[in-house]
Coordinates of all heavy atoms in Angstrom, one line a residue:
Q1 N 20.8 -3.1 10.6 CA 20.1 -3.2 9.3 C 18.6 -3.7 9.5 O 17.7 -3.2 8.9 CB 20.8 -4.1 8.3 CG 22.1 -3.6 7.8 CD 22.9 -4.6 7.1 OE1 22.4 -5.8 6.8 NE2 24.2 -4.3 6.9
F2 N 18.4 -4.7 10.4 CA 17.1 -5.1 10.8 C 16.3 -4.0 11.3 O 15.1 -3.8 10.9 CB 17.2 -6.3 11.7 CG 15.9 -6.4 12.6 CD1 14.7 -6.9 11.9 CD2 15.8 -5.9 13.8 CE1 13.6 -7.0 12.6 CE2 14.6 -6.0 14.6 CZ 13.4 -6.6 14.0
L3 N 16.8 -3.3 12.3 CA 16.0 -2.1 12.9 C 15.6 -1.1 11.8 O 14.5 -0.5 11.9 CB 16.7 -1.5 14.0 CG 17.0 -2.4 15.3 CD1 17.9 -1.8 16.3 CD2 15.6 -2.7 15.9
D4 N 16.6 -0.8 10.9 CA 16.2 0.2 9.9 C 15.0 -0.3 9.0 O 14.1 0.4 8.8 CB 17.4 0.4 8.9 CG 18.5 1.3 9.6 OD1 18.2 1.9 10.6 OD2 19.6 1.3 9.1
R5 N 15.1 -1.6 8.6 CA 14.0 -2.2 7.8 C 12.7 -2.2 8.6 O 11.7 -1.9 8.1 CB 14.4 -3.6 7.3 CG 15.4 -3.8 6.3 CD 15.3 -5.1 5.7 NE 15.4 -6.2 6.7 CZ 16.6 -6.7 7.2 NH1 17.7 -6.2 6.8 NH2 16.5 -7.7 8.1
F6 N 12.8 -2.6 9.8 CA 11.7 -2.9 10.7 C 11.0 -1.5 10.9 O 9.7 -1.5 10.7 CB 12.1 -3.4 12.0 CG 11.0 -3.9 12.9 CD1 10.4 -5.1 12.7 CD2 10.6 -3.0 13.9 CE1 9.3 -5.5 13.5 CE2 9.5 -3.4 14.8 CZ 8.9 -4.7 14.6
Y7 N 11.7 -0.5 11.2 CA 11.0 0.8 11.5 C 10.5 1.5 10.2 O 9.4 2.1 10.3 CB 12.0 1.7 12.2 CG 12.4 1.3 13.6 CD1 13.7 1.5 14.2 CD2 11.4 0.7 14.5 CE1 14.0 1.1 15.4 CE2 11.7 0.3 15.8 CZ 13.0 0.5 16.3 OH 13.3 0.1 17.5
M8 N 11.2 1.3 9.2 CA 10.6 1.9 7.9 C 9.3 1.1 7.5 O 8.4 1.8 7.1 CB 11.7 1.7 6.7 CG 12.8 2.7 6.8 SD 12.3 4.4 6.7 CE 11.7 4.4 5.0
S9 N 9.3 -0.2 7.7 CA 8.1 -1.0 7.4 C 7.0 -0.5 8.3 O 5.8 -0.4 7.9 CB 8.3 -2.4 7.5 OG 7.1 -3.2 7.4
R10 N 7.3 -0.3 9.6 CA 6.3 0.0 10.6 C 5.7 1.4 10.2 O 4.4 1.6 10.3 CB 7.0 0.2 11.9 CG 6.0 0.7 13.0 CD 6.7 0.7 14.4 NE 5.8 1.1 15.4 CZ 5.6 2.3 15.8 NH1 6.2 3.3 15.3 NH2 4.7 2.6 16.8
I11 N 6.5 2.3 9.7 CA 6.0 3.6 9.2 C 5.0 3.4 8.0 O 4.0 4.1 8.0 CB 7.1 4.6 8.8 CG1 7.9 5.0 10.0 CG2 6.6 5.8 8.0 CD1 9.3 5.7 9.7
G12 N 5.4 2.5 7.2 CA 4.5 2.3 6.0 C 3.1 1.7 6.5 O 2.1 2.1 6.0
I13 N 3.1 0.7 7.4 CA 1.9 0.1 7.9 C 1.0 1.2 8.6 O -0.1 1.3 8.4 CB 2.3 -1.0 8.8 CG1 2.8 -2.2 8.1 CG2 0.9 -1.5 9.6 CD1 3.4 -3.4 9.0
R14 N 1.7 2.0 9.4 CA 0.9 3.0 10.2 C 0.4 4.1 9.3 O -0.7 4.7 9.5 CB 1.8 3.6 11.3 CG 2.1 2.6 12.4 CD 3.0 3.1 13.5 NE 2.2 4.0 14.4 CZ 1.5 3.6 15.3 NH1 1.2 2.3 15.5 NH2 0.8 4.5 16.2
M15 N 1.2 4.4 8.2 CA 0.7 5.4 7.2 C -0.5 4.9 6.5 O -1.5 5.7 6.3 CB 1.8 5.7 6.2 CG 1.5 6.8 5.2 SD 1.4 8.4 6.0 CE 0.7 9.4 4.7
L16 N -0.5 3.6 6.1 CA -1.6 3.1 5.3 C -2.9 3.1 6.2 O -4.0 3.5 5.8 CB -1.4 1.6 4.9 CG -0.3 1.5 3.7 CD1 -0.1 0.1 3.4 CD2 -0.9 2.2 2.5
I17 N -2.8 2.6 7.5 CA -3.9 2.6 8.4 C -4.3 4.0 8.7 O -5.6 4.4 8.6 CB -3.6 1.8 9.7 CG1 -3.3 0.3 9.4 CG2 -4.7 2.0 10.7 CD1 -2.8 -0.5 10.6
G18 N -3.4 4.9 9.1 CA -3.8 6.2 9.5 C -4.4 7.0 8.4 O -5.4 7.7 8.6
Q19 N -3.9 6.8 7.1 CA -4.5 7.6 6.0 C -6.0 7.1 5.9 O -6.8 8.0 5.6 CB -3.7 7.3 4.7 CG -4.2 7.9 3.5 CD -4.1 9.4 3.5 OE1 -3.5 10.0 4.4 NE2 -4.5 10.1 2.4
H20 N -6.2 5.8 5.9 CA -7.6 5.3 5.7 C -8.5 5.8 6.8 O -9.6 6.3 6.5 CB -7.6 3.8 5.7 CG -9.0 3.2 5.5 ND1 -9.6 3.2 4.3 CD2 -9.9 2.8 6.5 CE1 -10.9 2.6 4.5 NE2 -11.0 2.4 5.8
V21 N -8.1 5.7 8.0 CA -8.9 6.2 9.2 C -9.2 7.7 9.1 O -10.3 8.2 9.3 CB -8.1 5.9 10.5 CG1 -8.9 6.6 11.7 CG2 -8.1 4.4 10.7
E22 N -8.1 8.5 8.7 CA -8.3 10.0 8.7 C -9.3 10.4 7.6 O -9.8 11.5 7.7 CB -6.9 10.6 8.5 CG -6.9 12.1 8.7 CD -7.4 12.6 10.1 OE1 -7.2 11.8 11.1 OE2 -7.9 13.7 10.2
L23 N -9.4 9.6 6.5 CA -10.3 10.0 5.5 C -11.7 10.0 5.9 O -12.6 10.6 5.3 CB -10.1 9.0 4.3 CG -8.8 9.1 3.5 CD1 -8.8 8.1 2.4 CD2 -8.7 10.6 2.9
H24 N -12.0 9.4 7.1 CA -13.4 9.5 7.7 C -13.6 10.7 8.5 O -14.7 11.0 8.9 CB -13.6 8.3 8.6 CG -13.7 7.0 7.9 ND1 -12.6 6.3 7.4 CD2 -14.7 6.2 7.6 CE1 -13.0 5.2 6.8 NE2 -14.3 5.1 6.9
N25 N -12.6 11.6 8.7 CA -12.7 12.8 9.5 C -13.6 13.8 8.8 O -13.3 14.2 7.7 CB -11.4 13.4 9.7 CG -11.4 14.5 10.7 OD1 -12.4 15.1 11.1 ND2 -10.1 15.0 11.1
P26 N -14.8 14.1 9.4 CA -15.7 15.0 8.7 C -15.2 16.5 8.7 O -15.6 17.3 7.8 CB -17.0 15.0 9.6 CG -16.5 14.5 10.9 CD -15.3 13.6 10.7
N27 N -14.2 16.8 9.6 CA -13.6 18.1 9.6 C -12.1 18.1 9.5 O -11.4 18.3 10.6 CB -14.0 18.9 10.9 CG -15.5 19.0 11.0 OD1 -16.2 19.5 10.1 ND2 -16.1 18.5 12.0
P28 N -11.5 17.7 8.4 CA -10.1 17.6 8.3 C -9.4 18.9 8.5 O -10.0 20.0 8.2 CB -9.9 17.1 6.9 CG -11.1 17.5 6.0 CD -12.2 17.5 7.1

C-alpha cells in the first residue's frame, strides 16, 4: 500500500514539474 501511494504521488510531482518545464518549449 505504501509503494502504491508513493509511486502515484511521485507521478503527480513529476507531472506538475514536467508540465511547467515543457510549457517553455518553443517548438512543442
Side-chain angles (χ1 to χ4, degrees):
Q1 289 168 14
F2 157 72
L3 290 172
D4 285 345
R5 285 195 310 274
F6 187 81
Y7 291 143
M8 284 299 293
S9 172
R10 177 177 184 270
I11 290 169
I13 290 170
R14 292 180 75 78
M15 183 70 191
L16 288 174
I17 294 175
Q19 178 71 2
H20 178 82
V21 169
E22 190 59 28
L23 291 178
H24 289 76
N25 187 350
N27 300 302

